[in-house]
């Protein structure tokens, strides 16, 4: 009887050891991936330029000013005072910015400020053609390569312009006559995204969602007229995957704001 118990116990332990060894030897199953898509790593990326008086403004003279109001040695606490336009630095254009009766900053719901992010890369072309725009053809090519742009997406233009932010003249692209030259969204692309894909917002790594050489701000009018918002002067879009990220826009809720500064970040 004792021999029988020992034998059974030995067999049981031997089987368990064999199973464990097999589990160690076999690699874990890889997660399923969509055809043609590389495996994605998780990430978190700040897309906000620091607010400084030296950051490029849309027009000279629109830069903010700041002063120290209190200091720890003199007052026991530190505090600054800023004088700043709503549309400076990384900021939001609310519908009210270009559309009479449009919603203001405080009227944009939290759910609207968190969106699936799509990054359309036109950096190579922009390096050669500062006046280039995101076109409908770019959007169709994006969907062929990656996936359909989802409803309520934030569609972000990566033109490489954020790298110029330390040089005011290069970032504005001003010519001898004062005209501006930097990329943006064509109005046709904006309207296609609004009607065909029902997007939530447009974002750019330049001073405006319209290209710099625009005189009528047609893309602003189309976007805000559709009760959607824009995000301008976005940083580090080269570090965000073209699909699969979520954009969060931490908009300052200025009373009756036509927009305002925002802490913008992506996670995936």
């Amino acid at each position: 009887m004792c021999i029988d118990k020992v034998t059974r116990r030995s067999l049981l332990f031997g089987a368990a050891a064999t199973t464990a060894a097999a589990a160690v030897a076999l690699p874990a199953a890889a997660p399923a991936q969509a055809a043609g898509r590389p495996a994605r790593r998780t990430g978190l990326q700040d897309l906000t330029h620091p607010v400084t008086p030296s950051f490029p403004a849309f027009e000279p003279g629109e830069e903010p000013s700041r002063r120290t109001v209190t200091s720890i040695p003199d007052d026991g606490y530190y505090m600054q005072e800023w004088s700043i336009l709503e549309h400076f630095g990384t900021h939001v254009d609310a519908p009210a910015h270009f559309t009479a009766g449009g919603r203001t900053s405080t009227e944009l719901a939290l759910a609207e400020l968190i969106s699936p992010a799509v990054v359309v890369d036109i950096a190579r072309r922009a390096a050669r053609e500062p006046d280039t725009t995101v076109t409908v053809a770019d959007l169709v090519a994006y969907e062929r390569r990656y996936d359909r742009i989802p409803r309520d997406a934030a569609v972000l233009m990566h033109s490489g312009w954020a790298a110029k932010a330390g040089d005011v003249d290069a970032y504005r692209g001003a010519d001898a006559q004062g005209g501006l030259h930097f990329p943006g969204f064509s109005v046709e692309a904006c309207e296609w995204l609004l009607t065909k894909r029902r997007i939530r917002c447009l974002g750019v790594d330049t001073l405006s969602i319209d290209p710099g050489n625009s005189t009528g701000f047609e893309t602003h009018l189309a976007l805000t007229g559709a009760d959607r918002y824009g995000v301008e002067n976005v940083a580090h879009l080269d570090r965000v995957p073209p699909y699969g990220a979520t954009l969060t826009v931490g908009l300052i809720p200025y009373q009756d704001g036509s927009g305002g500064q925002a802490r913008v970040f992506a996670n995936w």
Side-chain angles (χ1 to χ4, degrees):
M1 186 69 178
C2 291
I3 294 174
D4 188 40
K5 286 184 178 179
V6 170
T7 302
R8 289 178 181 177
R9 188 176 300 151
S10 299
L11 288 172
L12 179 62
F13 288 164
T18 302
T19 302
V24 172
L26 292 174
Q33 298 177 26
R37 291 186 177 183
R40 294 202 309 270
R41 297 180 179 178
T42 59
L44 178 65
Q45 179 61 54
D46 193 346
L47 304 178
T48 315
H49 289 285
V51 178
T52 69
S54 62
F55 188 83
F58 192 84
E59 294 286 350
E62 292 183 347
E63 299 84 2
S65 62
R66 64 173 182 141
R67 69 183 183 93
T68 300
V69 178
T70 61
S71 67
I72 292 175
D74 293 338
D75 307 285
Y77 62 99
Y78 169 59
M79 182 169 63
Q80 296 182 102
E81 177 185 80
W82 285 80
S83 176
I84 191 168
L85 297 175
E86 292 172 333
H87 298 271
F88 180 84
T90 304
H91 69 275
V92 166
D93 288 358
H97 186 36
F98 271 80
T99 297
R103 288 186 299 157
T104 62
S105 301
T106 54
E107 293 174 315
L108 291 174
L110 286 179
E112 295 176 83
L113 301 175
I114 304 172
S115 308
V118 166
V119 180
V120 180
D121 188 344
I122 62 165
R124 287 188 178 181
R125 190 168 78 237
R128 304 187 306 269
E129 306 171 31
D131 296 325
T132 195
T133 59
V134 175
T135 65
V136 174
D138 291 322
L139 302 173
V140 171
Y142 172 92
E143 292 194 335
R144 285 176 179 166
R145 182 173 181 181
Y146 299 111
D147 203 348
R148 181 184 173 92
I149 295 168
R151 186 186 179 99
D152 294 330
V155 181
L156 310 173
M157 176 193 77
H158 167 49
S159 70
W161 231 250
K164 302 175 184 281
D167 183 332
V168 173
D169 292 336
Y171 196 71
R172 297 182 70 244
D175 57 30
Q177 291 72 42
L180 304 184
H181 300 276
F182 52 76
F185 278 88
S186 71
V187 67
E188 294 82 9
C190 176
E191 290 172 343
W192 188 89
L193 287 166
L194 290 168
T195 58
K196 303 292 187 182
R197 297 297 178 265
R198 305 290 184 180
I199 62 156
R200 179 167 286 159
C201 78
L202 295 180
V204 293
D205 56 355
T206 60
L207 284 161
S208 173
I209 59 172
D210 279 283
N213 63 358
S214 171
T215 58
F217 298 102
E218 292 86 358
T219 300
H220 273 91
L221 291 169
L223 186 70
T224 63
D227 195 33
R228 300 296 189 267
Y229 67 92
V231 187
E232 296 170 334
N233 297 314
V234 179
H236 306 309
L237 286 175
D238 57 322
R239 304 177 187 176
V240 180
Y243 61 88
T246 298
L247 187 78
T248 300
V249 181
L251 172 62
I252 295 177
Y254 291 126
Q255 181 180 357
D256 299 327
S258 66
Q261 284 72 43
R263 188 70 178 266
V264 181
F265 60 91
N267 68 281
W268 60 93

